[in-house]
Amino acid sequence: MRGDPQNLEFIAPSNLPEVLARIAATPGAWTPIAGGTELMVAHAAGRLSAQKLINLWGLPELDFIRISDNTISIGGGVTFGHIRRHANIAADFPLLSRAASWIGSIANQNRATLAGNIVNGSPAADAPPALLVYDAEIELISQRGLRRLPYSEFHLGYKRSMLEPDELVLALHLPRRFTKHAQYLRKVGTRKAMAITKIALAATAMVENGTIAEVRLAAASVADRPVRMNATEEFLLGKKLTPEVRRAACAALLNEVRPIDDIRSTAEYRRHVAANLLDEFLHELVSKGISA
């Protein structure tokens, strides 16, 4: 059954304070919509439960990329096309730039926004693994003010987050300190483009004197939300990348992930591909001259 647009109420306030006032007056009544790449698909299929939509598209208060000496801040309304084309993001955060190039078609990338990709809460979303390994912070805004928290704390479960009904995502803040890290991102899907993730792994690492001094691992489609692989990271810290350590790290990852069976893949496939991707990343570290 297709959705009927006559059943929707749609408003387009002219600025962010008007939006915040409207959603504060009746928390949870209005569903924000920006690019609409998720909501309009659900509407067309007759699966959209929201009946009252409030437009965020084009609000300048959400559409910005700000660069300081220590941070790049990306507004929640910035599209993935903008992220993909931004030279500073490509230089400092290549994994996020690469993830932006995977999101749907070029048309999708020029509509889909960073906040929409995050708030939609899909465990298979493309941007979250990169944001997690870059230690991003998320800034939320409401009439009550601003609050900022580690992005790693934002997702609480499947389609659940720290976002309150009267809040919007104002920005993501990424610290500019990863250019000397080894970096890795790989997505496995049915096709090279226009495919939802079966499994994806992002990683950064710093190696000193042949041992892992820093490591961050994050994955999509291995749990009910995008997640950091904290236990596997802890295992790798301070270790030399011997073949035995690499095998044990993959075993630690297999114990940590909790994927599901669905129409795109099986849990068992996802578990073993995740371990293979980790081994590929660790092998790359060794091949670049980092060994025991």
Side-chain angles (χ1 to χ4, degrees), residues 94-96 98-99 101-102 124-130 133-134 183-189 191-192 195-204 216-222 269-270 272-284:
L95 305 185
L96 182 59
R98 192 182 312 165
S101 72
W102 291 341
D126 289 302
V133 297
Y134 285 139
Q183 302 190 33
Y184 172 94
L185 179 65
R186 186 165 175 188
K187 169 181 174 175
V188 176
R191 300 175 299 276
K192 291 198 66 168
I196 296 174
T197 300
K198 289 176 181 281
I199 178 72
L201 181 74
T204 67
R216 291 167 182 82
L217 306 168
S221 295
V222 299
Y269 175 85
R270 289 185 165 112
H272 285 285
V273 171
N276 289 344
L277 296 184
L278 174 60
D279 190 58
E280 182 176 71
F281 170 60
L282 298 178
H283 178 73
E284 286 186 5

Side-chain angles (χ1 to χ4, degrees), residues 173-214:
H173 304 281
L174 287 78
R176 302 180 71 185
R177 55 183 179 79
F178 289 95
T179 54
K180 294 184 179 179
H181 286 64
Q183 302 190 33
Y184 172 94
L185 179 65
R186 186 165 175 188
K187 169 181 174 175
V188 176
T190 304
R191 300 175 299 276
K192 291 198 66 168
M194 300 285 288
I196 296 174
T197 300
K198 289 176 181 281
I199 178 72
L201 181 74
T204 67
M206 282 283 285
V207 179
E208 297 175 357
N209 299 319
T211 64
I212 300 287
E214 288 186 42

Side-chain angles (χ1 to χ4, degrees), residues 56-256:
L56 306 181
W57 182 257
L59 292 179
E61 300 98 327
L62 300 176
D63 189 10
F64 62 85
I65 296 176
R66 295 175 185 149
I67 302 169
S68 70
D69 289 344
N70 299 318
T71 306
I72 292 183
S73 300
I74 307 173
V78 172
T79 67
F80 285 101
H82 193 178
I83 290 171
R84 178 176 55 82
R85 295 187 296 268
H86 200 280
N88 293 92
I89 293 175
D92 283 7
F93 306 107
L95 305 185
L96 182 59
S97 182
R98 192 182 312 165
S101 72
W102 291 341
I103 293 175
S105 64
I106 296 297
N108 292 135
Q109 292 167 21
N110 289 333
R111 290 290 301 186
T113 62
L114 181 60
N117 191 248
I118 291 168
V119 173
N120 182 51
S122 170
D126 289 302
L131 295 170
L132 287 167
V133 297
Y134 285 139
D135 285 344
E137 291 188 331
I138 189 166
E139 187 172 13
L140 309 176
I141 187 169
S142 69
Q143 277 201 320
R144 295 176 285 114
L146 298 169
R147 65 184 180 119
R148 189 162 159 169
L149 62 148
Y151 176 57
S152 60
E153 299 176 4
F154 180 73
H155 296 286
L156 300 176
Y158 182 72
K159 301 282 186 176
R160 296 189 299 111
S161 73
M162 293 287 287
L163 189 72
E164 297 291 342
D166 65 339
E167 288 182 312
L168 299 173
V169 175
L170 177 64
L172 275 294
H173 304 281
L174 287 78
R176 302 180 71 185
R177 55 183 179 79
F178 289 95
T179 54
K180 294 184 179 179
H181 286 64
Q183 302 190 33
Y184 172 94
L185 179 65
R186 186 165 175 188
K187 169 181 174 175
V188 176
T190 304
R191 300 175 299 276
K192 291 198 66 168
M194 300 285 288
I196 296 174
T197 300
K198 289 176 181 281
I199 178 72
L201 181 74
T204 67
M206 282 283 285
V207 179
E208 297 175 357
N209 299 319
T211 64
I212 300 287
E214 288 186 42
V215 63
R216 291 167 182 82
L217 306 168
S221 295
V222 299
D224 60 357
R225 71 201 87 171
V227 289
R228 281 275 294 268
M229 302 284 95
N230 294 311
T232 308
E233 292 175 4
E234 185 175 353
F235 171 79
L236 281 166
L237 278 175
K239 292 199 170 58
K240 294 181 180 293
L241 290 178
T242 63
E244 293 76 18
V245 164
R246 286 169 51 194
R247 285 193 294 270
C250 292
L253 186 70
L254 286 171
N255 287 329
E256 190 169 10

Side-chain angles (χ1 to χ4, degrees), residues 9-23 30-33 53-62 168:
E9 182 178 354
F10 181 86
I11 61 172
S14 60
N15 56 59
L16 183 58
E18 288 183 29
V19 172
L20 296 176
R22 183 63 70 107
I23 63 177
W30 292 94
T31 297
I33 180 171
L53 305 179
I54 187 165
N55 183 52
L56 306 181
W57 182 257
L59 292 179
E61 300 98 327
L62 300 176
L168 299 173

